[in-house]
Amino acid sequence: MSFLIDSSIMITSQILFFGFGWLFFMRQLFKDYEIRQYVVQVIFSVTFAFSCTMFELIIFEILGVLNSSSRYFHWKMNLCVILLILVFMVPFYIGYFIVSNIRLLHKQRLLFSCLLWLTFMYFFWKLGDPFPILSPKHGILSIEQLISRVGVIGVTLMALLSGFGAVNCPYTYMSYFLRNVTDTDILALERRLLQTMDMIISKKKRMAMARRTMFQKGEVHNKPSGFWGMIKSVTTSASGSEMPDLTLIQQEVDALEELSRQLFLETADLYATKERIEYSKTFKGKYFNFLGYFFSIYCVWKIFMATINIVFDRVGKTDPVTRGIEITVNYLGIQFDVKFWSQHISFILVGIIIVTSIRGLLITLTKFFYAISSSKSSNVIVLLLAQIMGMYFVSSVLLIRMSMPLEYRTIITEVLGELQFNFYHRWFDVIFLVSALSSILFLYLAHKQAPEKQMAP
């Protein structure tokens, strides 16, 4: 009876997660596009639902909600479904929609879709060769073999996003990095933009008048052909030498239009920077500025700790909360129930990590979709985002495990199998360090180049 109640709770929560994923798909991703394939919407919503269910099971594990055998069953079932989606279903449909957009392969799209899926499976399986994730004890399609490879891709994505976010967040929040923009700078750039537009209009007007003159003289549609036409074109070239060269003028117009686009973007950027300067003077802006300094310290500390972990090949065995409480209690010399409070603080910390991970990933996916999607590629893009989302959440479970007290890791370790958990943490540190340092270099060059563009005549 308890198993049925627990299952009804899990099914209800999965329906709610599915509905939220469906609404996010309709209201955010596809609000400007026509939905032609409902299977894409279903796959995205199902992936989101089972991904959130894994985080829900982590919270249930800490709070002791549901029976332990029920939690184990739903852990197993959830992992099997999410791996089935990520390894078999989503890659096949990505290949199917790619082939469907190619007219030459439209009649045999099912065959070529299978070929693309087999190609994906080959490279997906070869991914395990250079990494210490293989286990000869398990079968070729066991959960351990699949989740180990999914974990490598997901941890890599997490580390790349975390490295860039750790650097970009203080750069975005701190008013220190804002360049000084005045109304004079904006007016000067707008004046240049208006002058460029006037030049474009005058040159296009000149081209239109030249075409009209040529049409009236019959040089456009009534050109004589043959030998006598060639003789006439030679004899009339001297008299028409005062006519403008339309090709040359068109090249000048194209160059001016490109310049006008750049000036417009720079003007919009100056307006946005000025708004950020005004916003930074408000109470909320000062609050985010303080957060920027806090995150900059966190970024430096994270880069330092990642370097230490890589150099000394170090992986923590105790969760950060318990370790921090033990150090504080020993330093102050007070009586404190470390086990009790570490459980509650770990629950809050894991909850914050889960909420921020889901929110941050959805925001990133929305921006990424709007940046590269079109009416033809939107289905493929959404499936790719579903693939990234599923792998991201699976790898989050692998890494969140280390943030939980030891007694709560047991069932997760049993469900995930005999994986090399230390390898994933070391791999995360390596990719995080590379991503963070690359982001620092990129933002430094972009910040240095911005004043030079502003000073350019």
Side-chain angles (χ1 to χ4, degrees):
M1 187 66 181
S2 61
F3 178 78
L4 294 177
I5 296 175
D6 295 344
S7 298
S8 63
I9 294 174
M10 294 302 302
I11 292 172
T12 303
S13 62
Q14 286 175 346
I15 292 173
L16 293 176
F17 291 141
F18 180 87
F20 182 81
W22 188 279
L23 289 176
F24 175 78
F25 185 95
M26 294 287 293
R27 301 285 178 87
Q28 294 294 327
L29 294 184
F30 261 67
K31 63 180 181 180
D32 297 327
Y33 296 96
E34 179 184 357
I35 302 174
R36 298 179 180 178
Q37 299 293 338
Y38 279 96
V39 66
V40 176
Q41 190 173 359
V42 172
I43 291 175
F44 181 88
S45 302
V46 169
T47 306
F48 180 81
F50 280 92
S51 299
C52 292
T53 303
M54 288 191 295
F55 287 142
E56 182 186 33
L57 287 169
I58 291 177
I59 295 177
F60 284 177
E61 194 67 33
I62 296 175
L63 295 178
V65 179
L66 307 184
N67 191 279
S68 60
S69 59
S70 299
R71 291 199 302 268
Y72 182 83
F73 170 80
H74 287 287
W75 264 115
K76 278 289 187 181
M77 185 189 71
N78 199 82
L79 277 176
C80 289
V81 173
I82 197 71
L83 290 175
L84 178 67
I85 294 172
L86 296 178
V87 179
F88 298 97
M89 186 177 294
V90 175
F92 174 78
Y93 274 103
I94 289 175
Y96 180 81
F97 286 114
I98 289 175
V99 173
S100 298
N101 291 329
I102 303 174
R103 291 185 178 181
L104 296 176
L105 307 177
H106 198 267
K107 293 182 178 180
Q108 296 180 337
R109 57 181 180 269
L110 188 61
L111 174 62
F112 285 99
S113 301
C114 294
L115 291 177
L116 285 177
W117 178 78
L118 291 174
T119 304
F120 163 79
M121 286 300 298
Y122 172 78
F123 287 104
F124 177 77
W125 214 256
K126 295 294 289 184
L127 181 67
D129 292 346
F131 298 104
I133 57 176
L134 295 176
S135 177
K137 299 180 180 179
H138 304 96
I140 190 171
L141 292 179
S142 62
I143 289 181
E144 290 81 7
Q145 295 285 1
L146 296 177
I147 204 171
S148 60
R149 289 163 173 80
V150 171
V152 170
I153 302 174
V155 168
T156 304
L157 292 172
M158 281 191 67
L160 289 172
L161 293 174
S162 299
F164 176 76
V167 176
N168 186 61
C169 184
Y171 179 80
T172 304
Y173 286 170
M174 292 174 63
S175 58
Y176 174 80
F177 295 106
L178 293 176
R179 52 187 171 132
N180 187 23
V181 176
T182 62
D183 293 333
T184 306
D185 299 328
I186 297 177
L187 289 175
L189 201 58
E190 286 180 340
R191 193 178 299 113
R192 287 181 58 195
L193 178 60
L194 290 175
Q195 291 174 353
T196 305
M197 298 301 294
D198 289 338
M199 293 175 64
I200 293 173
I201 293 172
S202 64
K203 288 184 179 295
K204 285 188 174 182
K205 188 176 180 181
R206 186 181 174 190
M207 289 175 60
M209 293 176 65
R211 286 196 178 100
R212 181 183 179 185
T213 304
M214 292 171 62
F215 181 79
Q216 289 177 350
K217 291 182 178 181
E219 296 180 7
V220 177
H221 298 290
N222 299 322
K223 287 186 177 181
S225 59
F227 177 75
W228 292 108
M230 294 173 61
I231 296 297
K232 185 176 181 180
S233 63
V234 172
T235 57
T236 57
S237 61
S239 62
S241 59
E242 68 275 5
M243 295 296 295
D245 188 352
L246 296 181
T247 304
L248 181 60
I249 297 177
Q250 184 62 49
Q251 292 176 356
E252 294 176 356
V253 169
D254 292 339
L256 288 172
E257 286 180 341
E258 180 63 30
L259 177 61
S260 67
R261 281 190 287 268
Q262 293 178 3
L263 291 174
F264 177 79
L265 293 175
E266 291 179 15
T267 305
D269 184 57
L270 288 183
Y271 271 110
T273 304
K274 185 182 177 182
E275 289 179 359
R276 287 182 59 194
I277 292 174
E278 296 297 328
Y279 178 76
S280 64
K281 297 177 183 179
T282 62
F283 176 78
K284 194 174 181 180
K286 292 179 180 179
Y287 167 72
F288 279 106
N289 185 45
F290 171 77
L291 284 182
Y293 282 100
F294 173 77
F295 282 119
S296 62
I297 297 173
Y298 170 78
C299 176
V300 173
W301 176 80
K302 188 70 176 176
I303 292 174
F304 174 75
M305 292 305 298
T307 306
I308 294 297
N309 293 337
I310 294 170
V311 172
F312 294 101
D313 194 18
R314 192 186 70 168
V315 176
K317 296 182 179 179
T318 306
D319 66 285
V321 174
T322 303
R323 182 61 179 166
I325 293 176
E326 287 177 351
I327 293 175
T328 305
V329 169
N330 293 332
Y331 179 77
L332 298 177
I334 59 177
Q335 297 293 328
F336 197 79
D337 192 346
V338 176
K339 183 177 180 181
F340 173 80
W341 285 105
S342 65
Q343 292 176 358
H344 289 73
I345 297 176
S346 294
F347 166 70
I348 297 173
L349 177 64
V350 171
I352 293 172
I353 292 174
I354 290 171
V355 172
T356 54
S357 296
I358 295 174
R359 179 181 178 274
L361 184 64
L362 291 179
I363 293 174
T364 304
L365 292 182
T366 305
K367 292 180 179 178
F368 183 75
F369 179 79
Y370 284 143
I372 66 174
S373 64
S374 64
S375 58
K376 290 185 178 180
S377 64
S378 55
N379 289 324
V380 177
I381 300 294
V382 169
L383 289 174
L384 285 173
L385 296 183
Q387 184 83 355
I388 293 172
M389 178 177 61
M391 291 184 172
Y392 182 94
F393 286 150
V394 169
S395 58
S396 297
V397 175
L398 293 174
L399 297 180
I400 286 177
R401 172 186 168 274
M402 189 60 70
S403 300
M404 300 171 63
L406 190 61
E407 58 269 22
Y408 299 131
R409 303 181 195 174
T410 305
I411 190 170
I412 298 178
T413 305
E414 292 178 359
V415 171
L416 296 178
E418 298 178 5
L419 299 180
Q420 299 294 329
F421 293 102
N422 291 344
F423 160 76
Y424 292 103
H425 287 275
R426 286 195 297 269
W427 181 249
F428 179 88
D429 289 334
V430 171
I431 302 300
F432 174 86
L433 185 62
V434 173
S435 176
L437 295 178
S438 301
S439 300
I440 291 174
L441 178 62
F442 172 77
L443 292 176
Y444 170 76
L445 295 176
H447 184 75
K448 186 178 180 181
Q449 191 178 7
E452 296 178 358
K453 282 186 176 180
Q454 187 176 348
M455 295 174 61

